[in-house]
Amino acid sequence: MPPAAERIDTAPTLAPAPDDAATDRVDSFAGRALGSALRLFVRSPAASSAAAGSAAEAWDAVCTEFEAVDLALSRFRDDSELTALNRVAGTGGVAQVSWRLRETIAAMDRARRITGGRFDATMALDLERLGEIGARLRPGTLLDGASAAADRPRPVIAPAVPLDSGGLGKGLALRWAARRALATLPSTAGLLLDAGGDVLVAGVPPVAGWRVGIEDPVAGPEPDTQPIAVVEVHDGALATSSIRVRHWTSPDGRAVHHLLDPRTREPARTGLLAVTVAGPDAAWAEVWTKALFLAGRASIADEARARGLAAWWVAEDGCLGMTPAARERSAWVAESRLG
């Protein structure tokens, strides 16, 4: 289902820097996609006469791309490509899939290798065992290049076990949607695209960058809750993995969440509540949030610094940590929470 296009007037934690308010026009749109909120902010020079029209075209492009991604990558849709592929997992057969799912499978494999196995997309059945039920994985037939795989379907070998596109899929959706949206805008414009708290910035930003609040995983659900840090983003992406929202009670009565440890196939208990990473690409920022979450409180600082990552994390006791690269990008942090 495509996200509903609904214009909004304000954004509590996402806004151009105040110094640019007199010279910039910002058009804002909101809807839902991939199970979370979807928002687009388009910055144009105030004098641009075509700003409103091009911003609306950009929003249409974003909605179209997210609808296509949902149809290709959703684990929760009976009619998605991924569900059809998962239904024949382990058969050794060949399925016809579109370029979106092919690129996603390739990214899954590369992420697994680069992170030493900490990123693992093969835990769909473990999520189901723990109570997060997706589309029914009833026996099915191989895709034949029908509507779900209409974009030049090509064959891939069915995986050994069902796959979960997860946060990587959302990161890829941000990458692809921003690219399509930017193509509709004049060269002087820029955009910020937010999907459930993962953000991608492209084009010409405000002079002082876009200001993005990092959600405090310890805070309550009130809409005016203070972020734990505010980051100035001029380009690239900001992704967060957190156990604040996606958690539930398993069939055996345990409190569980979606960030699973590939070594145990169980929810990871690493001393962390949330990890945020800034980087040039939304999909890879998402991958590193998962890998650093599994590194745990004892190792996250050393690994993130060694890799040169701008990373922020919140431990179970509410303390905030960050790398030097993250500190340089931060316009404000909750100093009382540093530890």
Side-chain angles (χ1 to χ4, degrees):
M1 180 181 297
E6 175 190 355
R7 294 190 77 103
I8 59 175
D9 299 318
T10 60
T13 62
L14 298 167
D19 291 346
D20 303 309
T23 58
D24 281 356
R25 169 195 175 108
V26 177
D27 290 281
S28 305
F29 305 86
R32 290 190 64 81
L34 306 183
S36 61
L38 180 68
R39 299 194 290 179
L40 173 68
F41 300 83
V42 177
R43 185 215 64 81
S44 306
S48 174
S49 59
S54 61
E57 288 182 28
W59 175 240
D60 288 341
V62 166
C63 291
T64 299
E65 183 59 35
F66 268 81
E67 180 184 6
V69 169
D70 195 38
L71 187 58
L73 305 184
S74 176
R75 185 170 65 86
F76 300 95
R77 288 182 61 154
D78 279 329
D79 61 345
S80 77
E81 287 185 57
L82 182 61
T83 295
L85 184 63
N86 282 343
R87 285 173 180 160
V88 294
T91 66
V94 174
Q96 299 286 336
V97 301
S98 69
W99 66 267
R100 290 182 180 85
L101 185 50
R102 290 197 310 275
E103 285 195 20
T104 302
I105 293 171
M108 289 173 178
D109 182 64
R110 187 178 179 207
R112 176 189 58 78
R113 289 184 282 107
I114 289 177
T115 63
R118 278 180 288 168
F119 182 92
D120 189 336
T122 68
M123 293 190 285
L125 292 181
D126 297 289
L127 288 168
E128 300 247 336
R129 169 177 55 81
L130 292 167
E132 189 180 65
I133 308 301
R136 286 187 59 200
L137 295 180
R138 61 182 182 274
T141 56
L142 298 179
L143 292 174
D144 60 3
S147 59
D151 298 319
R152 291 188 179 181
R154 294 182 184 176
V156 299
I157 298 174
V161 296
L163 302 174
D164 175 32
S165 61
L168 176 63
K170 184 166 68 172
L172 290 170
L174 282 166
R175 179 199 295 176
W176 298 331
R179 185 184 302 160
R180 288 182 65 158
L182 198 62
T184 71
L185 297 172
S187 60
T188 54
L191 62 84
L192 183 151
L193 184 57
D194 169 25
D198 288 353
V199 168
L200 189 147
V201 167
V204 181
V207 173
W210 298 90
R211 290 186 178 171
V212 180
I214 297 178
E215 185 180 68
D216 183 357
V218 177
E222 293 78 12
D224 58 349
T225 298
Q226 185 99 331
I228 199 162
V230 176
V231 184
E232 289 185 357
V233 184
H234 292 264
D235 57 32
L238 199 69
T240 297
S241 286
S242 172
I243 64 174
R244 178 182 180 183
V245 175
R246 202 168 153 194
H247 58 84
W248 62 94
T249 301
S250 69
D252 62 4
R254 290 182 295 150
V256 297
H257 58 77
H258 72 294
L259 297 176
L260 306 189
D261 187 333
R263 297 166 297 184
T264 64
R265 320 295 287 191
E266 294 287 335
R269 310 295 179 187
T270 66
L272 297 173
L273 296 178
V275 176
T276 297
V277 171
D281 178 74
W284 285 100
E286 181 72 38
V287 167
W288 285 115
T289 65
K290 298 291 194 305
L292 291 178
F293 187 93
L294 289 172
R297 186 174 187 179
S299 301
I300 186 171
D302 289 341
E303 179 168 353
R305 280 196 297 266
R307 294 186 179 277
L309 295 172
W312 299 255
W313 58 91
V314 180
E316 288 179 342
D317 61 5
C319 287
L320 170 66
M322 68 182 76
T323 60
R327 170 63 89 169
E328 290 178 2
R329 291 174 177 246
S330 298
W332 175 88
V333 297
E335 299 284 347
S336 63
R337 299 278 291 279
L338 291 172

